[in-house]
Amino acid sequence: MTAMVKAEGVHKSFGPTHVLKGIDLEVAPREVFCLIGPSGSGKSTFLRCINHLEKINAGRLSVDGELVGYRQQGNKLYELKDREVAEKRRDIGMVFQRFNLFPHMTAIENVMEAPVQVKREAKAVARERAERLLDRVGLADKAANYPAQLSGGQQQRVAIARALAMEPKLMLFDEPTSALDPELVGDVLDVMRSLAEDGMTMIVVTHEMGFAREVGDSVVFMDDGVVVEAGHPREVLTNPRHERTKSFLSKVL
Amino acid sequence: MTDKLNKAEEPGDAPPPTPAAVPEVIRAVPVRHYGRWVSAVITVALLVLLVNAFAQGKLNWGAVPDYFFDDDILKGVRNTIWITICAMVVGVVLGIILAVMRLSKNPVTSSIAWGYIWFFRGTPVYVQLLVWFNLGLVFEYINLGPIYKDYWSSFMTPFLAALLGLGLNEAAYMAEICRAGIQSVDEGQTEASHALGMSQGKTLRRVVLPQAMRVIVPPTGNEFINMLKTTSLVIAVQYYDLLQAASNVGRTSGATVEMLFLAAAWYLVLTSVLSVGQYYLERRFARGSLRQLPQTPWQKVRTNLFSLRTRRGNV
């Protein structure tokens, strides 16, 4: 079975700052893959590389067996056109820390936007699916509300529904609960848990160690642009082998 | 902690607190603002003097209402409105294009846009109008192949010269307004749109521009009002606008200065109408950014009347 995401020696710099210093990892289909680590360790940057919001400088990164951002012919790499990049992003859903809902559209319009505009789906079909998805994240009654009229937790659940509307094969979560009030975190995590139960492949950058332990199939601890430790959540979180992992976990747990 | 608090608030089986009786309404002697009275009297007195001076002046005020709906004046008003709208359309469309060019990653297009803005914002619009009108000295003919061919002087009508002069100048200002608007949209919006698989163009049209509009509309309203007044300069290219009409009528009727007041009154009427339009347009583009849209003046009047009625009913 091909890996859903495969990274080999991925490097990324922003100017003089070397953010990713050779990342190797593999995410299997239907796996829930949690990335943890201190801020500035490169977790979010790596996540953004997967759907080509950031360009990698060296190494190989592929999603579902296809290179991200490039096409290989013989020994040569060709950069993909914007249109081709956009086409590949359709299959990868992304949820942001700051939600990034479109504020000028209601909840249901947010969810319908991409299917109608990108897949050219009929509005009635898109609306029906959007209603189903909003119902799934527990917000059927908020369909007509604008994002400004929703709480952070509700906005993030709409954002998840919006990503799901494209029926992605992979979902990326970039610290989805970090901007939320503590009592709103649970609702978002519940939605993510139910997604995991349905077999969605998920890569989750998170500080929620509880979620990583319960739902994660594997956990990777990153620090300073490298993977320090990877393995089953039970091992990494309760029995870390590396000093750096231990000291990080002692601070967050 | 909450337990403790709850206990503290439970003094035995105390009955639930009943709402306290409304205390006596305060009746105090208000502070007298004598300064306000003095300044009000002074300003009103000055105003009266000013109005009196104009009323006593050797002006035939009766001529203003007499000619207010004169056919020539109305034609000028129509032309002023028409050239304002046309020039603003040119300005807005070209301005958006220039803003997108200026923000593009292509260094050639962005420098061309920069140069355009530099030139058209850096020279007076009056000079630009004159230049367009007199460009016949440079181009004797205009030749668009099989489509159109004519002498420059008959091609460059007063209307076209006014349109180009005002519109191209306006585009430079609109470009800067649009650029500010586009840049005001959070980068996360573009990222979210790209992550959904939307193309650059779709992202701009569906996500960025609608949000940029909230920043673009208020200054555009100002530009519109400004444009309406700036059209009075088209007298330079012989375009028959409101001011031209007013001075023509003034010359034939002998009420030259009175007709200037008439023109001023018409400009005030038109800009007032535009201000109202701007208010409603801004309200429309505030959708989603405010939890509750502000009331329109009419709604305010209605709620105030209603609350007055209930207040009276209660007392």
Side-chain angles (χ1 to χ4, degrees), chain A residues 55-172:
Chain A
K55 254 187 209 170
I56 63 172
N57 302 116
R60 285 293 162 96
L61 182 58
S62 56
V63 173
D64 210 9
E66 289 180 41
L67 281 184
V68 174
Y70 301 94
R71 177 165 34 92
Q72 189 164 19
Q73 267 173 6
N75 271 336
K76 263 191 178 164
L77 282 185
Y78 294 87
E79 230 177 283
L80 291 184
K81 289 177 192 156
D82 285 348
R83 191 175 44 79
E84 294 166 315
V85 171
E87 224 160 82
K88 292 201 170 178
R89 282 181 181 139
R90 292 179 191 187
D91 298 333
I92 307 174
M94 184 156 187
V95 175
F96 298 85
Q97 183 178 352
R98 305 273 348 156
F99 329 134
N100 294 350
L101 287 179
F102 304 136
H104 56 299
M105 301 180 193
T106 60
I108 197 158
E109 285 167 354
N110 263 282
V111 181
M112 290 165 60
E113 179 68 8
V116 171
Q117 293 297 325
V118 179
K119 285 189 180 166
R120 302 238 154 261
E121 213 166 67
K123 276 214 171 138
V125 179
R127 178 173 292 276
E128 200 190 320
R129 183 183 320 97
E131 277 165 1
R132 216 168 50 233
L133 285 168
L134 285 177
D135 188 42
R136 173 169 186 181
V137 300
L139 293 171
D141 54 329
K142 302 285 182 193
N145 287 48
Y146 285 101
Q149 298 164 323
L150 301 174
S151 74
Q154 292 169 336
Q155 289 190 49
Q156 193 62 298
R157 284 184 279 154
V158 173
I160 294 174
R162 177 176 71 173
L164 291 175
M166 291 297 280
E167 298 176 327
K169 57 188 178 192
L170 168 67
M171 284 283 283
L172 309 175

Side-chain angles (χ1 to χ4, degrees), chain A:
Chain A
M1 192 157 49
T2 49
M4 183 57 84
V5 175
K6 189 171 180 186
E8 297 164 281
V10 169
H11 282 258
K12 169 72 189 171
S13 315
F14 293 105
T17 335
H18 204 167
V19 182
L20 299 179
K21 302 168 180 171
I23 303 286
D24 295 281
L25 50 80
E26 244 186 84
V27 181
R30 305 174 71 83
E31 190 177 9
V32 178
F33 192 95
C34 295
L35 283 169
I36 62 170
S39 50
S41 59
K43 316 170 295 253
S44 291
T45 305
F46 178 69
L47 198 73
R48 292 160 58 83
C49 288
I50 295 173
N51 67 354
H52 208 51
L53 283 179
E54 307 289 354
K55 254 187 209 170
I56 63 172
N57 302 116
R60 285 293 162 96
L61 182 58
S62 56
V63 173
D64 210 9
E66 289 180 41
L67 281 184
V68 174
Y70 301 94
R71 177 165 34 92
Q72 189 164 19
Q73 267 173 6
N75 271 336
K76 263 191 178 164
L77 282 185
Y78 294 87
E79 230 177 283
L80 291 184
K81 289 177 192 156
D82 285 348
R83 191 175 44 79
E84 294 166 315
V85 171
E87 224 160 82
K88 292 201 170 178
R89 282 181 181 139
R90 292 179 191 187
D91 298 333
I92 307 174
M94 184 156 187
V95 175
F96 298 85
Q97 183 178 352
R98 305 273 348 156
F99 329 134
N100 294 350
L101 287 179
F102 304 136
H104 56 299
M105 301 180 193
T106 60
I108 197 158
E109 285 167 354
N110 263 282
V111 181
M112 290 165 60
E113 179 68 8
V116 171
Q117 293 297 325
V118 179
K119 285 189 180 166
R120 302 238 154 261
E121 213 166 67
K123 276 214 171 138
V125 179
R127 178 173 292 276
E128 200 190 320
R129 183 183 320 97
E131 277 165 1
R132 216 168 50 233
L133 285 168
L134 285 177
D135 188 42
R136 173 169 186 181
V137 300
L139 293 171
D141 54 329
K142 302 285 182 193
N145 287 48
Y146 285 101
Q149 298 164 323
L150 301 174
S151 74
Q154 292 169 336
Q155 289 190 49
Q156 193 62 298
R157 284 184 279 154
V158 173
I160 294 174
R162 177 176 71 173
L164 291 175
M166 291 297 280
E167 298 176 327
K169 57 188 178 192
L170 168 67
M171 284 283 283
L172 309 175
F173 291 86
D174 188 2
E175 304 197 20
T177 57
S178 297
L180 297 179
D181 290 339
E183 79 266 26
L184 302 175
V185 169
D187 293 338
V188 173
L189 291 183
D190 284 344
V191 169
M192 290 167 64
R193 194 170 289 131
S194 91
L195 264 183
E197 279 160 13
D198 287 0
M200 173 65 76
T201 314
M202 294 160 65
I203 304 181
V204 186
V205 172
T206 188
H207 291 294
E208 295 290 330
M209 296 305 149
F211 177 83
R213 190 179 309 130
E214 282 169 45
V215 186
D217 296 310
S218 36
V219 167
V220 159
F221 173 70
M222 278 177 71
D223 192 13
D224 200 24
V226 292
V227 172
V228 177
E229 197 163 345
H232 194 272
R234 257 197 310 273
E235 290 162 29
V236 179
L237 294 177
T238 49
N239 232 340
R241 274 172 296 165
H242 288 263
E243 264 323 299
R244 279 198 279 180
T245 322
K246 277 180 200 165
S247 80
F248 172 74
L249 288 175
S250 71
K251 279 178 210 150
V252 295
L253 284 179

Side-chain angles (χ1 to χ4, degrees), chain B:
Chain B
M1 234 190 69
T2 47
D3 284 17
K4 263 184 212 163
L5 279 176
N6 285 342
K7 268 173 205 158
E9 282 170 10
E10 267 174 40
D13 266 8
T18 47
V22 180
E24 199 188 335
V25 176
I26 294 175
R27 286 176 208 281
V29 180
V31 176
R32 306 286 186 208
H33 297 279
Y34 296 109
R36 288 185 196 169
W37 283 102
V38 173
S39 56
V41 167
I42 292 175
T43 42
V44 167
L46 287 174
L47 200 62
V48 167
L49 283 175
L50 190 70
V51 171
N52 190 42
F54 273 91
Q56 299 287 311
K58 289 174 196 147
L59 288 169
N60 173 19
W61 289 110
V64 174
D66 283 352
Y67 284 98
F68 206 73
F69 296 107
D70 182 81
D71 281 346
D72 282 337
I73 297 286
L74 285 183
K75 187 180 171 217
V77 169
R78 270 197 303 274
N79 280 347
T80 289
I81 295 173
W82 181 233
I83 191 70
T84 304
I85 293 172
C86 292
M88 275 314 282
V89 168
V90 170
V92 169
V93 172
L94 195 59
I96 292 174
I97 294 171
L98 282 166
V100 173
M101 279 172 71
R102 183 104 154 76
L103 291 171
S104 88
K105 286 179 196 141
N106 185 336
V108 177
T109 50
S110 90
S111 352
I112 288 176
W114 182 88
Y116 180 98
I117 294 165
W118 172 75
F119 181 81
F120 281 92
R121 215 171 48 163
T123 51
V125 64
Y126 190 71
V127 176
Q128 288 173 30
L129 281 167
L130 290 172
V131 167
W132 279 111
F133 199 48
N134 295 306
L135 224 50
L137 296 176
V138 185
F139 307 102
E140 201 175 339
Y141 301 101
I142 176 157
N143 189 351
L144 300 177
I147 312 164
Y148 187 84
K149 187 176 174 179
D150 206 343
Y151 285 106
W152 186 269
S153 50
S154 42
F155 162 72
M156 191 52 73
T157 58
F159 173 76
L160 195 58
L163 179 67
L164 288 174
L166 296 174
L168 297 188
N169 181 265
E170 185 57 35
Y173 287 92
M174 283 309 301
E176 289 295 273
I177 291 171
C178 294
R179 185 170 67 101
I182 290 171
Q183 282 179 330
S184 77
V185 178
D186 181 37
E187 212 184 341
Q189 293 290 313
T190 327
E191 281 181 0
S193 170
H194 284 166
L196 285 168
M198 288 167 79
S199 64
Q200 297 275 7
K202 276 255 160 67
T203 302
L204 187 69
R205 270 202 316 280
R206 300 283 310 173
V207 176
V208 176
L209 281 182
Q211 294 182 61
M213 288 310 270
R214 232 185 73 241
V215 176
I216 292 174
V217 165
T220 304
N222 287 345
E223 287 298 309
F224 216 109
I225 289 170
N226 240 331
M227 174 62 82
L228 187 89
K229 295 180 296 174
T230 310
T231 54
S232 60
L233 292 179
V234 296
I235 208 160
V237 294
Q238 315 291 320
Y239 186 68
Y240 193 82
D241 76 322
L242 171 55
L243 185 62
Q244 176 95 300
S247 42
N248 275 4
V249 171
R251 226 171 292 132
T252 50
S253 69
T256 325
V257 184
E258 289 82 348
M259 288 306 110
L260 292 181
F261 282 104
L262 181 144
W266 262 113
Y267 281 118
L268 264 178
V269 167
L270 295 176
T271 50
S272 306
V273 169
L274 285 180
S275 304
V276 173
Q278 183 184 9
Y279 177 85
Y280 281 94
L281 203 61
E282 279 175 28
R283 200 168 172 278
R284 156 128 175 90
F285 281 106
R287 267 181 329 166
S289 62
L290 303 169
R291 270 157 223 256
Q292 186 126 44
L293 283 177
Q295 289 184 317
T296 61
W298 174 235
Q299 284 170 335
K300 266 185 220 163
V301 168
R302 262 196 310 193
T303 47
N304 281 345
L305 278 180
F306 189 67
S307 65
L308 268 182
R309 223 178 292 152
T310 51
R311 229 179 282 157
R312 241 179 250 149
N314 284 344
V315 173

